[in-house]
């Protein structure tokens, strides 16, 4: 009888350890999922900011191109006036 009782106690301790390990694993999985969610949100935010900056850059490039053309035209007209 004592051997059965001892085996039951050992089995109970093993089940407790397994339960503790399972809870710890589940907690780590939840933490990993939460971390991944935060990372995904951060990456999405960075992509949005990147897209916004690319749009602003394109607009600035267009403005610079237009200003460059106007300045070239003005310089050409001034040179023409100075040659007269």
């Amino acid at each position: 009888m004592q051997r059965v009782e001892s085996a039951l106690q050992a089995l109970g301790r093993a089940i407790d350890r397994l339960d503790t390990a399972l809870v710890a694993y589940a907690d780590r999985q939840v933490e990993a999922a939460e971390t991944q969610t935060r990372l995904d949100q951060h990456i999405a935010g960075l992509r949005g900011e990147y897209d916004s900056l690319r749009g602003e850059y394109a607009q600035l490039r267009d403005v610079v191109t237009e200003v460059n053309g106007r300045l070239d035209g003005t310089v050409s007209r001034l040179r023409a006036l100075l040659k007269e």
Side-chain angles (χ1 to χ4, degrees):
M1 196 54 111
Q2 191 178 36
R3 290 178 66 192
V4 171
E5 190 64 35
S6 178
L8 285 173
Q9 287 176 357
L11 182 58
R13 287 190 301 271
I15 289 172
D16 288 344
R17 285 194 311 268
L18 282 172
D19 187 47
T20 300
L22 181 60
V23 168
Y25 176 79
D27 288 346
R28 284 193 306 271
Q29 291 298 102
V30 167
E31 288 175 14
E34 289 171 351
T35 299
Q36 187 62 49
T37 299
R38 285 192 305 273
L39 285 173
D40 290 345
Q41 290 170 345
H42 186 64
I43 288 170
L46 288 174
R47 283 187 178 138
E49 190 173 332
Y50 174 75
D51 290 341
S52 175
L53 289 173
R54 282 183 59 100
E56 289 178 24
Y57 172 77
Q59 289 175 342
L60 286 173
R61 187 181 57 223
D62 292 344
V63 168
V64 166
T65 300
E66 182 180 339
V67 168
N68 238 359
R70 292 172 113 182
L71 284 174
D72 286 346
T74 301
V75 168
S76 294
R77 285 193 301 276
L78 284 173
R79 282 187 180 155
L81 286 173
L82 291 175
K83 285 184 181 180
E84 289 179 8

